[in-house]
Amino acid sequence: MPEHRTEPEHTNFNLSNILFAIFKRKRTIIGFALLGFIAAAAVYFFYPTVYESDARLLVRYVLERSGFDPVDAMSGQTGRGGTGLTTDGVMAA
């Protein structure tokens, strides 16, 4: 039968070994970081910006006008006749 070890194995996982591995692969790390920055800049500058807007204009349609209407006064109309626009004319405008 194989023997089982009860004492933990000592690993060489410490700060100096981590720093050694990082500095050993520094060109690869810097290269991939630069490649990522260049790809991000290319997407930012060459990808078209999409602008989208949604607006609604809600206008209350009033059939009767007051005795004095500045619009009628400027156009020369008098009385309560209105502007002569039909409902279709208001919707088209």
Side-chain angles (χ1 to χ4, degrees):
M1 279 192 162
E3 295 180 21
H4 296 295
R5 293 185 183 175
T6 56
E7 50 186 70
E9 293 182 17
H10 181 68
T11 61
N12 291 331
F13 193 68
N14 55 20
L15 182 61
S16 64
N17 288 341
I18 294 171
L19 290 176
F20 177 74
I22 289 174
F23 283 116
K24 184 178 177 182
R25 302 286 180 193
K26 67 182 172 190
R27 288 185 181 169
T28 305
I29 294 170
I30 291 172
F32 279 118
L34 265 167
L35 185 66
F37 283 126
I38 290 171
V43 167
Y44 178 76
F45 286 115
F46 295 120
Y47 191 72
T49 307
V50 177
Y51 296 103
E52 185 176 329
S53 176
D54 185 22
R56 293 184 183 162
L57 179 64
L58 302 176
V59 178
R60 186 172 50 138
Y61 181 65
V62 180
L63 292 176
E64 291 189 28
R65 296 192 128 162
S66 66
F68 175 74
D69 191 1
V71 175
D72 289 339
M74 290 174 56
S75 64
Q77 295 180 0
T78 59
R80 299 174 68 105
T83 60
L85 287 177
T86 63
T87 306
D88 295 331
V90 171
M91 292 298 185

